[in-house]
Amino acid sequence: GRVTDSAAKALEWYRRGETAGCNEASYRMAETILLSPSSAARRDEALRFLRHNENGDGRKTYLLGVCSLNGIGVDTDYLAARKLFESAVDQGSTDAFAELGLMHEQGWGGMIDQTAAGRIFRDGAEAGNAFCMERYAKRLAQGRGVPRDPKLSQIWLGRAANTTANQLHTAV
């Protein structure tokens, strides 16, 4: 597939930033290539770049996990994805909490473990991830993998709504 004109322009700027040593630009460059319609050669280039430049960057490790989970540029491998998300969490990626919690919840790459999923969603919620806040709140309401606590569930649902609203406001 062809990269769209706007993605191509973004890639041009990200490549300039990456060449200048900007870690954010290098991450965004790889992300744009991997998550937009692009040729297999471009995906391979982005994956090689991520693997070579990962160096403890939780976002890059997270993105490699997304590729393994969804078969983007590599074969789908739930076990590899789970390990990558675990590493990304250790490296500070709040997005990785959400994926790792879902993997435990659904049994992707291992056994279903509702207690581990509850703990991971709680940790992600405490780290500020809105998806984890909502998932943790639902688990508290149901008592699924965590002790049932409807009052605390409402608190976390409110935090999730506020966090999401703040993220949307910032994006606009």
Side-chain angles (χ1 to χ4, degrees):
R2 254 187 52 189
V3 176
T4 64
D5 288 341
S6 59
K9 287 178 184 174
L11 283 173
E12 178 184 334
W13 283 103
Y14 293 148
R15 211 174 280 285
R16 287 181 186 181
E18 190 270 329
T19 301
C22 176
N23 193 44
E24 178 68 20
S26 65
Y27 168 76
R28 295 292 178 194
M29 180 181 70
E31 180 184 50
T32 300
I33 291 169
L34 290 169
L35 302 181
S36 66
S38 59
S39 69
R42 289 186 72 97
R43 284 193 303 272
D44 290 346
E45 171 193 5
L47 286 169
R48 277 193 307 276
F49 175 81
L50 283 175
R51 288 182 185 121
H52 179 72
N53 295 294
E54 186 181 354
N55 298 329
D57 184 329
R59 293 177 313 153
K60 291 178 183 176
T61 305
Y62 165 76
L63 193 52
L64 286 170
V66 169
C67 291
S68 290
L69 179 63
N70 297 297
I72 300 171
V74 296
D75 290 336
T76 299
D77 185 340
Y78 291 149
L79 187 56
R82 186 184 280 215
K83 289 178 183 178
L84 286 163
F85 291 137
E86 287 169 352
S87 292
V89 162
D90 291 342
Q91 296 164 354
S93 169
T94 58
D95 291 333
F97 281 106
E99 299 294 346
L100 187 57
L102 287 171
M103 293 194 83
H104 281 277
E105 182 179 88
Q106 302 298 319
W108 299 330
M111 300 294 294
I112 292 175
D113 187 341
Q114 299 303 336
T115 302
R119 178 182 40 77
I120 293 164
F121 286 133
R122 181 200 64 220
D123 292 348
E126 290 172 351
N129 183 285
F131 178 85
C132 290
M133 290 177 192
E134 181 183 344
R135 208 63 169 213
Y136 182 52
K138 289 179 181 179
R139 288 176 160 277
L140 286 165
Q142 300 166 347
R144 191 165 141 224
V146 297
R148 188 172 185 281
D149 189 335
K151 185 175 179 179
L152 188 56
S153 172
Q154 290 301 310
I155 291 169
W156 277 109
L157 277 176
R159 289 179 184 170
N162 287 335
T163 300
T164 302
N166 287 338
Q167 290 169 346
L168 290 172
H169 178 71
T170 302
V172 177

